[in-house]
Amino acid sequence: MPYAIWFFLAVEGVPLAAEEAKEPAKSLPRGLIGSMLILAFFALSILLLGPGAAGADTLKNSGAPLVDALVAVYGANTWMASFVNFVGLAGLIASFFSIIYAYSRQIFALSRAGYLPKKLSLTNSNHAPYLAIIIPGIIGFLLSLSGEGDLLILMAVFGATISYVLMMMSYIKLKLSRPNLVRPYQAPGGIVTASIALVLAAIAVVAGFLVDPKVWLMAAAIYVALILYFLLYSRHHLVAGTPEEEFARIEAAEKELK
């Protein structure tokens, strides 16, 4: 399950383009729903077609099920297996860029609001947050040299599943405490859908813990360290009147003028 969740992590990069989208209320839901449907289609296709072609026993321990399925059916010298390998490598590189985009926007926003050191929100002449791109990239590169790829994936998935739980809880609380809040996009099903997602996210957290409790505890230790950083330092240095709040005030003022 943790590796299945990893496939969907890049989808989370879509909302991070909100400030750069012309009509985020329309374009972001389309991007999210479209990307999830496409990804689910291909994931189910691999799940059915791979074992259907080569058998479950052949692929149960495979790191490249499509390639191994093609080799099992057409032989080791088939050009199709090499082609799928190449496409998979290209897709992996593309996912790196999507992750770079995602973490740079997250770190930029957190730094700008004061949750992280403010220097991380500095931009260059092209208005790109260069420190928010370079510094995490160096950290990620050094971690990749450890040879613990499985461990890093599990830790990333732990962070994702915990964030899903927190987001669903926050959504439900906000719907109950501020039911009349203006919402450009209404999530289908509302609290019911969010409650189902909350239960599934909690199951995913437990499933990941069962895979490797040590990795989950290491990731939890990182969470605790960041929470302590917030409690002891950053909450006393938050920026009043962040751009998000200023944009909201400007939008409210424009509505009053109309």
Side-chain angles (χ1 to χ4, degrees):
M1 187 177 289
Y3 291 94
I5 294 171
W6 173 259
F7 295 152
F8 290 86
L9 290 184
V11 176
E12 298 174 358
V14 176
L16 300 174
E19 288 189 21
E20 300 168 57
K22 292 182 179 179
E23 294 182 281
K26 293 182 179 180
S27 57
L28 294 190
R30 291 174 184 172
L32 279 168
I33 295 170
S35 59
M36 286 190 288
L37 291 176
I38 292 170
L39 191 54
F41 170 77
F42 281 108
L44 292 173
S45 298
I46 295 171
L47 179 65
L48 295 173
L49 298 178
D57 287 337
T58 304
L59 302 181
K60 63 183 180 181
N61 295 317
S62 173
L66 281 182
V67 175
D68 290 343
L70 289 170
V71 169
V73 175
Y74 296 105
N77 296 322
T78 177
W79 64 269
M80 285 188 289
S82 300
F83 175 74
V84 170
N85 247 337
F86 175 79
V87 171
L89 179 61
L92 182 63
I93 295 173
S95 71
F96 291 160
F97 286 111
S98 68
I99 292 171
I100 290 171
Y101 176 84
Y103 77 61
S104 66
R105 294 310 186 271
Q106 286 179 321
I107 291 175
F108 171 75
L110 290 171
S111 170
R112 184 175 60 182
Y115 291 98
L116 293 175
K118 295 182 179 63
K119 288 186 177 181
L120 292 174
S121 57
L122 295 177
T123 58
N124 59 16
S125 58
N126 294 318
H127 305 291
Y130 62 99
L131 291 179
I133 296 173
I134 295 172
I135 293 177
I138 293 173
I139 295 173
F141 176 74
L142 294 176
L143 289 174
S144 70
L145 299 178
S146 65
E148 298 289 345
D150 291 350
L151 182 146
L152 295 175
I153 289 177
L154 287 172
M155 291 178 67
V157 169
F158 174 82
T161 52
I162 288 294
S163 71
Y164 299 156
V165 171
L166 296 175
M167 282 189 287
M168 293 306 105
M169 292 173 64
S170 300
Y171 173 83
I172 293 171
K173 181 185 181 302
L174 192 61
K175 288 284 285 186
L176 294 174
S177 61
R178 301 188 66 182
N180 298 322
L181 183 69
V182 177
R183 294 175 170 87
Y185 174 75
Q186 295 287 343
I191 293 179
V192 175
T193 305
S195 299
I196 295 172
L198 175 60
V199 173
L200 293 174
I203 293 173
V205 172
V206 175
F209 183 81
L210 295 176
V211 171
D212 191 341
K214 178 188 70 175
V215 172
W216 251 232
L217 292 174
M218 291 172 61
I222 295 174
Y223 260 75
V224 171
L226 292 173
I227 291 172
L228 290 175
Y229 172 79
F230 168 75
L231 293 175
L232 299 176
Y233 180 79
S234 66
R235 73 187 182 99
H236 302 294
H237 297 80
L238 298 180
V239 177
T242 60
E244 291 86 351
E245 295 171 341
E246 294 298 330
F247 293 148
R249 292 193 186 98
I250 292 172
E251 185 178 356
E254 289 176 348
K255 288 181 179 179
E256 289 179 2
L257 290 174
K258 291 179 181 179

